[in-house]
Coordinates of all heavy atoms in Angstrom, one line a residue:
V1341 N -1.1 31.4 16.8 CA -2.4 32.3 17.2 C -2.1 33.7 17.3 O -1.1 34.1 18.0 CB -2.8 31.7 18.6 CG1 -4.0 32.5 19.2 CG2 -3.2 30.2 18.7
V1342 N -2.8 34.4 16.5 CA -2.6 35.8 16.6 C -3.6 36.4 17.8 O -3.1 37.0 18.8 CB -3.3 36.6 15.3 CG1 -3.2 38.1 15.4 CG2 -2.5 36.1 14.1
D1343 N -4.8 36.0 17.9 CA -5.7 36.2 19.1 C -7.0 35.4 18.9 O -7.2 34.7 17.9 CB -6.0 37.6 19.2 CG -6.6 38.3 18.0 OD1 -7.0 37.5 17.1 OD2 -6.8 39.5 17.9
N1344 N -7.7 35.2 19.9 CA -9.0 34.6 19.9 C -9.0 33.1 19.4 O -7.9 32.5 19.6 CB -10.0 35.4 19.0 CG -10.0 36.8 19.5 OD1 -10.1 37.1 20.7 ND2 -10.3 37.8 18.6
Y1345 N -10.0 32.7 18.8 CA -10.1 31.3 18.4 C -10.0 31.0 17.0 O -10.0 29.8 16.5 CB -11.5 30.7 19.0 CG -11.8 31.1 20.4 CD1 -12.7 32.1 20.6 CD2 -11.2 30.5 21.4 CE1 -13.0 32.4 21.9 CE2 -11.4 30.8 22.7 CZ -12.4 31.8 23.0 OH -12.6 32.1 24.2
G1346 N -10.1 31.9 16.1 CA -10.4 31.7 14.7 C -9.2 31.1 14.0 O -9.5 30.1 13.1
D1347 N -8.1 31.5 14.3 CA -6.8 30.9 13.6 C -6.8 29.4 13.8 O -6.7 28.5 12.9 CB -5.5 31.5 14.1 CG -5.7 33.0 14.2 OD1 -5.6 33.7 13.2 OD2 -5.8 33.6 15.3
V1348 N -6.9 29.0 15.2 CA -7.0 27.7 15.5 C -8.3 26.9 15.0 O -8.1 25.8 14.5 CB -6.7 27.4 17.0 CG1 -6.9 26.0 17.3 CG2 -5.5 28.0 17.5
G1349 N -9.4 27.6 15.1 CA -10.6 27.1 14.7 C -10.5 26.5 13.2 O -10.9 25.5 12.9
F1350 N -10.1 27.4 12.4 CA -9.9 27.1 11.1 C -8.9 26.0 10.8 O -9.0 25.1 10.1 CB -9.5 28.4 10.2 CG -9.2 28.2 8.7 CD1 -10.2 28.2 7.9 CD2 -8.0 27.8 8.3 CE1 -10.0 28.0 6.5 CE2 -7.8 27.6 7.0 CZ -8.7 27.7 6.1
R1353 N -10.1 22.6 11.7 CA -11.0 22.0 10.8 C -10.3 21.5 9.6 O -10.7 20.4 8.9 CB -11.9 23.1 10.3 CG -13.2 23.3 11.0 CD -14.1 24.4 10.4 NE -14.8 25.0 11.3 CZ -15.6 24.4 12.1 NH1 -16.1 23.1 12.0 NH2 -16.5 25.1 12.9
K1378 N -9.9 24.6 24.2 CA -11.2 25.2 24.3 C -12.2 24.6 23.3 O -13.4 24.2 23.6 CB -11.3 26.6 24.2 CG -10.6 27.4 25.2 CD -11.6 27.7 26.4 CE -12.5 28.9 26.2 NZ -13.3 29.2 27.3
L1379 N -11.7 24.6 22.1 CA -12.6 24.1 21.0 C -12.8 22.5 21.0 O -13.7 22.1 20.7 CB -12.0 24.5 19.7 CG -11.6 25.9 19.5 CD1 -10.9 26.1 18.1 CD2 -13.0 26.6 19.4
R1380 N -11.7 21.8 21.5 CA -11.8 20.4 21.6 C -11.3 20.0 23.0 O -10.1 19.9 23.2 CB -10.9 19.7 20.5 CG -11.4 20.0 19.2 CD -12.7 19.3 18.9 NE -12.7 18.0 19.1 CZ -13.0 17.0 18.3 NH1 -13.3 17.3 17.1 NH2 -13.0 15.7 18.7
F1417 N -2.5 31.8 7.3 CA -2.5 33.2 7.5 C -1.0 33.8 7.6 O -0.7 34.7 8.4 CB -3.3 33.6 8.8 CG -4.6 32.9 8.9 CD1 -4.7 32.0 9.9 CD2 -5.5 33.0 8.0 CE1 -6.0 31.4 10.0 CE2 -6.7 32.3 8.0 CZ -6.9 31.4 9.1
Y1443 N -6.5 34.8 4.8 CA -7.7 35.2 5.3 C -8.8 35.2 4.2 O -8.5 35.5 3.1 CB -7.5 36.6 6.0 CG -6.7 36.5 7.2 CD1 -5.4 37.2 7.3 CD2 -7.3 36.0 8.4 CE1 -4.7 37.1 8.4 CE2 -6.5 36.0 9.6 CZ -5.3 36.5 9.6 OH -4.5 36.4 10.8
L1522 N -25.5 34.7 20.2 CA -24.8 35.9 20.3 C -23.3 35.5 20.6 O -22.9 35.1 21.6 CB -25.3 36.6 21.6 CG -25.3 38.1 21.6 CD1 -25.5 38.7 20.3 CD2 -26.2 38.7 22.6
F1523 N -22.4 36.0 19.6 CA -21.0 35.9 19.6 C -20.5 37.0 18.9 O -20.7 37.2 17.8 CB -20.7 34.5 18.8 CG -19.2 34.2 19.0 CD1 -18.4 34.4 20.0 CD2 -18.5 33.8 17.9 CE1 -17.0 34.1 20.2 CE2 -17.2 33.4 17.9 CZ -16.4 33.5 18.9
Y1525 N -17.4 40.7 19.5 CA -16.3 41.2 20.1 C -16.7 42.2 21.1 O -17.8 42.7 21.1 CB -15.3 42.0 19.0 CG -14.8 41.0 18.1 CD1 -15.3 41.1 16.7 CD2 -13.8 40.1 18.4 CE1 -14.7 40.1 15.9 CE2 -13.3 39.1 17.5 CZ -13.7 39.2 16.2 OH -13.2 38.3 15.3
P1549 N -22.7 32.3 24.6 CA -21.6 31.4 25.2 C -20.7 32.5 25.9 O -20.4 33.6 25.4 CB -20.9 30.9 24.0 CG -22.1 30.9 22.9 CD -22.8 32.1 23.2
E1550 N -20.0 31.9 26.9 CA -19.0 32.7 27.7 C -18.1 33.4 26.8 O -17.7 33.0 25.8 CB -18.1 31.5 28.5 CG -17.0 32.0 29.0 CD -16.0 30.8 29.1 OE1 -16.3 29.7 29.5 OE2 -14.8 31.0 28.7
V1584 N -24.4 30.7 28.7 CA -23.9 29.4 28.6 C -22.5 29.1 28.4 O -21.8 30.0 28.1 CB -24.7 28.6 27.4 CG1 -26.1 28.7 27.5 CG2 -24.3 29.1 26.1
P1585 N -22.0 27.9 28.9 CA -20.6 27.8 28.6 C -20.1 27.9 27.3 O -20.9 27.6 26.2 CB -20.3 26.3 29.1 CG -21.6 25.8 29.9 CD -22.7 26.8 29.3
F1586 N -18.8 28.0 27.0 CA -18.2 28.0 25.6 C -18.4 26.5 25.1 O -18.0 25.6 25.8 CB -16.8 28.4 25.7 CG -16.2 28.6 24.4 CD1 -16.3 29.9 23.7 CD2 -15.4 27.7 23.6 CE1 -15.7 30.2 22.5 CE2 -14.9 28.0 22.4 CZ -15.0 29.2 21.9
L1587 N -19.0 26.4 23.9 CA -19.3 25.0 23.5 C -18.2 24.4 22.7 O -17.4 25.1 22.0 CB -20.5 25.1 22.5 CG -21.8 25.4 23.1 CD1 -22.1 26.8 23.1 CD2 -22.9 24.6 22.4
P1588 N -18.0 23.1 22.7 CA -17.0 22.5 21.9 C -17.4 22.8 20.4 O -18.6 22.9 20.1 CB -17.1 21.0 22.1 CG -17.8 20.9 23.6 CD -18.6 22.1 23.7
Q1589 N -16.5 22.8 19.5 CA -16.6 23.5 18.2 C -17.8 22.7 17.5 O -18.7 23.4 16.8 CB -15.4 23.4 17.4 CG -15.3 24.3 16.2 CD -14.1 24.1 15.3 OE1 -13.6 22.9 15.1 NE2 -13.5 25.2 14.9
D1590 N -17.9 21.5 17.5 CA -19.0 20.8 16.9 C -20.3 21.0 17.4 O -21.3 21.0 16.6 CB -18.7 19.3 16.6 CG -17.4 18.9 15.8 OD1 -17.2 19.8 14.9 OD2 -16.7 17.8 16.0
R1591 N -20.4 21.2 18.6 CA -21.7 21.6 19.3 C -22.1 23.0 19.1 O -23.3 23.3 19.1 CB -21.6 21.3 20.8 CG -22.0 19.9 21.3 CD -21.8 19.7 22.7 NE -23.0 20.2 23.5 CZ -24.2 19.6 23.5 NH1 -24.4 18.5 22.8 NH2 -25.2 20.1 24.2
Y1592 N -21.1 23.8 18.8 CA -21.4 25.2 18.5 C -22.3 25.2 17.2 O -23.3 26.0 17.1 CB -20.2 26.1 18.4 CG -20.5 27.5 17.9 CD1 -21.2 28.4 18.7 CD2 -20.0 28.0 16.8 CE1 -21.4 29.6 18.3 CE2 -20.2 29.3 16.4 CZ -21.0 30.1 17.2 OH -21.2 31.4 16.7
L1595 N -25.8 24.9 18.0 CA -26.4 26.1 18.5 C -26.9 26.9 17.3 O -28.0 27.4 17.3 CB -25.6 26.8 19.4 CG -25.9 28.2 19.9 CD1 -27.2 28.0 20.9 CD2 -24.8 29.0 20.7
V1604 N -22.7 36.4 14.8 CA -21.4 35.6 14.7 C -20.3 36.7 14.5 O -20.6 37.9 14.1 CB -21.4 34.6 13.5 CG1 -22.2 33.5 14.0 CG2 -21.8 35.2 12.2
R1605 N -19.0 36.2 14.3 CA -17.9 37.2 14.2 C -16.7 36.5 13.5 O -16.8 35.4 13.1 CB -17.5 37.7 15.6 CG -16.6 36.7 16.3 CD -16.2 37.2 17.7 NE -15.1 36.4 18.3 CZ -14.7 36.5 19.5 NH1 -15.2 37.3 20.4 NH2 -13.5 35.8 19.9
G1606 N -15.7 37.4 13.3 CA -14.3 36.9 12.8 C -14.4 36.2 11.4 O -14.9 36.8 10.6
E1607 N -14.0 34.9 11.4 CA -14.0 34.2 10.2 C -14.8 32.9 10.2 O -15.7 32.6 9.3 CB -12.6 34.0 9.8 CG -12.4 33.4 8.4 CD -11.0 33.5 7.9 OE1 -10.3 34.7 8.1 OE2 -10.5 32.7 7.1
D1608 N -14.4 32.1 11.1 CA -14.9 30.7 11.1 C -16.4 30.6 11.5 O -17.3 30.0 10.9 CB -14.0 29.8 12.1 CG -14.5 28.4 11.9 OD1 -14.4 28.0 10.6 OD2 -14.8 27.6 12.8
S1609 N -16.9 31.4 12.6 CA -18.2 31.4 13.0 C -19.1 32.1 11.8 O -20.2 31.7 11.6 CB -18.5 32.0 14.4 OG -18.0 33.3 14.4
F1610 N -18.5 33.0 11.2 CA -19.1 33.8 10.2 C -19.5 32.7 9.0 O -20.6 32.7 8.5 CB -18.2 34.8 9.7 CG -18.4 35.4 8.3 CD1 -19.6 36.1 8.1 CD2 -17.4 35.5 7.4 CE1 -19.8 36.8 6.9 CE2 -17.6 36.1 6.2 CZ -18.9 36.8 5.9
V1611 N -18.5 31.8 8.7 CA -18.8 30.8 7.7 C -19.8 29.8 8.3 O -20.8 29.4 7.5 CB -17.5 30.1 7.2 CG1 -17.7 29.0 6.3 CG2 -16.6 31.2 6.6
R1612 N -19.7 29.4 9.4 CA -20.6 28.4 10.0 C -22.1 29.0 9.9 O -22.9 28.2 9.9 CB -20.3 28.0 11.4 CG -18.9 27.4 11.7 CD -18.5 26.4 10.6 NE -18.9 25.0 10.9 CZ -18.4 24.0 10.2 NH1 -17.6 24.2 9.1 NH2 -18.9 22.8 10.5
I1624 N -17.6 42.0 12.4 CA -16.4 41.8 11.7 C -15.1 42.1 12.6 O -15.3 43.1 13.4 CB -16.4 42.6 10.4 CG1 -15.2 42.2 9.5 CG2 -16.4 44.1 10.7 CD1 -15.3 42.9 8.1
Y1625 N -14.1 41.5 12.5 CA -12.8 41.7 13.2 C -12.4 43.2 12.9 O -12.1 43.4 11.7 CB -11.8 40.7 12.8 CG -10.5 40.7 13.7 CD1 -10.6 40.1 14.9 CD2 -9.4 41.2 13.1 CE1 -9.3 40.1 15.6 CE2 -8.1 41.2 13.8 CZ -8.1 40.6 15.1 OH -7.1 40.6 15.8
K1635 N -14.2 45.4 3.7 CA -14.5 44.0 3.7 C -15.9 43.7 4.0 O -16.5 42.9 3.4 CB -13.6 43.3 4.8 CG -12.2 43.0 4.4 CD -11.4 42.3 5.5 CE -11.6 40.8 5.3 NZ -10.7 40.1 6.4
Ligands
TRH1343 O1 -12.5 34.0 17.7 P1 -12.6 34.8 16.6 O2 -12.6 36.3 16.7 O3 -11.3 34.6 15.6 C1 -10.5 35.2 14.7 C2 -9.3 35.5 15.1 O4 -9.3 36.5 16.1 C3 -8.3 35.8 14.0 O5 -7.1 36.3 14.6 C4 -8.9 36.9 13.2 O6 -8.1 37.1 12.1 C5 -10.3 36.4 12.7 O7 -11.1 36.1 13.9 C6 -10.9 37.3 11.8 O8 -13.8 34.4 15.6 P2 -14.0 33.2 14.5 O9 -13.1 33.2 13.4 O10 -15.4 33.0 14.4 O11 -13.6 31.8 15.5 C7 -14.2 31.4 16.7 C8 -14.1 29.8 16.7 O12 -14.6 29.5 17.9 C9 -14.9 29.2 15.6 O13 -14.2 28.0 15.3 C10 -16.3 28.7 16.4 C11 -15.7 28.5 17.8 N1 -16.6 28.5 18.9 C12 -16.9 27.4 19.6 O14 -16.2 26.4 19.3 N2 -17.7 27.4 20.5 C13 -18.3 28.5 21.0 O15 -19.2 28.5 22.0 C14 -18.2 29.7 20.2 C15 -18.9 31.0 20.6 C16 -17.4 29.7 19.2

Side-chain angles (χ1 to χ4, degrees):
V1341 176
V1342 178
D1343 56 9
N1344 303 326
Y1345 309 106
D1347 313 286
V1348 176
F1350 174 91
R1353 270 189 208 294
K1378 286 280 278 186
L1379 303 174
R1380 294 299 307 242
F1417 315 119
Y1443 287 106
L1522 205 47
F1523 182 42
Y1525 297 107
E1550 161 206 319
V1584 300
F1586 193 86
L1587 289 92
Q1589 197 183 43
D1590 294 334
R1591 268 179 83 72
Y1592 178 62
L1595 177 65
V1604 289
R1605 78 182 199 190
E1607 181 163 327
D1608 191 52
S1609 59
F1610 167 58
V1611 172
R1612 302 316 275 188
I1624 192 168
Y1625 186 78
K1635 277 179 89 170

